[in-house]
Amino acid sequence: MPKRDSNKAMYLSGIVEGFYGRQWSWGERRDMADYLATLGANTYLYCPKGDAHLRRRWREDWPEPVKLELRALAEHAAALGLVFGVGLSPLELYRSYDSQAREQLERRIHSINELGGGLLAVLFDDMRGDWPGLAEQQLQIMADVQSWSEASRLLLCPTYYSFDPKLEQVFGPRPQHYWQELGDGLDAGVDVFWTGPQVCSPAVTRADAQVAAQELGRNVVLWDNYPVNDGAKTSDFLHLRPLAQRDQGLSADLRGHLLNPMNQPLLSRSGLSGLADLIGRERPDFVDLFGDEMAGLLLQDIPLLQDFGRSGLSDVQHRELLSRYENLDHPAARELLDWLAGGYQFDPACLTD
């Protein structure tokens, strides 16, 4: 098993492609890797909820064409100096982790090893958690994964990945001492995801990160749910303002910082650009990202797109937005028009994939 040094491991910065709903194409993923490299980021974690072979059908390997695309994406990321990884969400495996399930998980980890990525995340997010021995079962799964994986860096997303009370409302009461048991039982080289004080945190401070570290016995990797817009309410909005309200110096209390993008890959770039500020790189402005004409329109329309949203637009505002963008030959304009037409509207069926 590769040696994992918890003290000298690289600080992770980049994206976690972890949203529900409409997925990116392989070309859009490669383009996003290019963009991350220009930002000075170093990480691309692939775990879209729409990939059923990572969640509902996690026991099954990808079809060969998909696996070829994943290998190509991993190689493309590596050529750019990015660390690539996969996030596996073995849906509620901890409810019945018997010998058969263990064999199935081992086969799946070996198939992921074939991609050659440097990261592997095991994700227990968005699953029921009111289960006896939850932490103990997840620790056993993680120990097995650690013995089988060839990744140089392992991450775990707990079932309760934030202080947000919404998680207990949706997934059941958090077992007593859950975080402490995870922190005590996990190998020191395994990183833990945390989304901040809320599932989608408007702000994250160093004090927030320090409380999480105290609960989990280690500095965490921030899974930052911005600019993601994949929910029943958030799909109505385009989060175009660069990431903000994250403390300068936050990295001193984290092991990494990965942003979850929107379903719209090109329009995500403006929100993601704020990551450059936090890693000491120059942030691209709207003109750098979209060119003069598109940038000028977006800067003018951010209040409508990010604050009012589709449902908040009057008929007149909707028509005016259409008239401004429909004759603009720009791929980001086509994304925006698709969103205006309802092409990215939240579909509850995506939660059952």
Side-chain angles (χ1 to χ4, degrees):
M1 184 177 67
K3 183 179 179 181
R4 302 180 177 100
D5 190 322
S6 61
N7 296 313
K8 298 181 180 179
M10 176 180 69
Y11 182 86
L12 303 177
S13 62
I15 67 162
V16 48
E17 183 190 337
F19 48 79
Y20 288 93
R22 184 167 160 182
Q23 302 298 292
W24 294 348
S25 71
W26 295 108
E28 288 166 343
R29 291 181 174 114
R30 289 188 290 272
D31 289 345
M32 179 57 73
D34 293 338
Y35 177 62
L36 292 174
T38 66
L39 282 183
N42 60 29
T43 304
Y44 190 132
L45 183 63
Y46 170 87
C47 51
K49 295 295 195 290
D51 185 338
H53 293 273
L54 289 177
R55 192 168 171 85
R56 180 70 61 180
R57 298 167 58 187
W58 66 266
R59 295 169 176 83
E60 305 171 26
D61 200 359
W62 296 282
E64 192 58 27
V66 174
K67 203 161 185 178
L68 289 173
E69 291 283 8
L70 275 168
R71 285 197 194 101
L73 180 60
E75 291 169 1
H76 183 72
L80 294 166
L82 303 177
V83 180
F84 180 80
V86 166
L88 182 68
S89 301
L91 191 62
E92 297 187 348
L93 174 61
Y94 46 81
R95 287 178 175 256
S96 181
Y97 191 52
D98 55 20
S99 59
Q100 181 183 18
R102 189 173 183 272
E103 290 173 5
Q104 292 168 335
L105 181 61
E106 183 176 8
R107 284 198 299 271
R108 196 68 182 93
I109 297 302
H110 288 312
S111 76
I112 292 173
N113 287 340
E114 294 172 10
L115 299 178
L119 302 179
L120 174 63
V122 179
L123 311 175
F124 294 117
D125 57 314
D126 299 349
M127 305 177 192
R128 293 295 303 187
D130 49 349
W131 190 255
L134 179 67
E136 181 182 359
Q137 285 294 311
Q138 292 179 350
L139 287 168
Q140 180 58 60
I141 292 167
M142 200 65 205
D144 286 340
V145 168
Q146 192 169 10
S147 71
W148 301 323
S149 175
E150 296 175 3
S152 57
R153 191 83 173 264
L154 294 177
L155 303 98
L156 170 73
C157 184
T159 303
Y160 300 90
Y161 48 83
S162 168
F163 305 143
D164 199 326
K166 287 181 182 178
L167 293 177
E168 294 193 69
Q169 295 166 13
V170 176
F171 302 113
R174 173 168 50 87
Q176 191 175 19
H177 309 306
Y178 171 68
W179 287 326
Q180 293 87 344
E181 288 179 21
L182 276 184
D184 290 344
L186 279 175
D187 183 273
V190 176
D191 287 302
V192 178
F193 273 126
W194 171 77
T195 67
Q198 298 178 44
V199 173
C200 296
S201 298
V204 182
T205 67
R206 291 189 64 178
D208 293 327
Q210 289 163 7
V211 172
Q214 184 175 14
E215 291 283 357
L216 286 156
R218 71 201 62 212
N219 285 358
V220 295
V221 174
L222 180 60
W223 175 315
D224 200 331
N225 276 319
Y226 188 86
V228 67
N229 64 343
D230 61 347
K233 295 180 179 178
T234 58
S235 63
D236 229 24
F237 302 87
L238 292 176
H239 299 145
L240 300 172
R241 296 187 181 98
L243 177 75
Q245 293 184 274
R246 275 47 177 171
D247 276 359
Q248 289 295 324
L250 182 60
S251 61
D253 297 295
L254 296 174
R255 295 262 293 151
H257 189 167
L258 305 182
L259 277 61
N260 194 4
M262 296 192 291
N263 296 86
Q264 301 81 18
L266 288 175
L267 292 171
S268 288
R269 295 185 182 192
S270 57
L272 297 174
S273 69
L275 185 63
D277 296 330
L278 296 176
I279 57 177
R281 299 290 291 263
E282 183 176 354
R283 171 162 51 90
D285 60 25
F286 274 67
V287 173
D288 296 328
L289 295 175
F290 303 112
D292 289 333
E293 187 175 7
M294 183 71 184
L297 290 174
L298 286 176
L299 287 168
Q300 171 187 330
D301 294 328
I302 281 178
L304 291 177
L305 302 172
Q306 181 153 349
D307 301 330
F308 282 74
R310 286 179 64 248
S311 298
L313 298 173
S314 68
D315 290 342
V316 170
Q317 289 170 326
H318 193 276
R319 287 196 298 270
E320 288 177 347
L321 284 171
L322 285 176
S323 68
R324 283 201 284 275
Y325 292 94
E326 62 187 359
N327 294 318
L328 191 60
D329 185 19
H330 194 290
R334 292 191 284 275
E335 276 187 3
L336 193 153
L337 291 166
D338 195 357
W339 171 81
L340 277 174
Y344 292 92
Q345 189 169 354
F346 175 75
D347 179 4
C350 74
L351 301 178
T352 64
D353 288 341

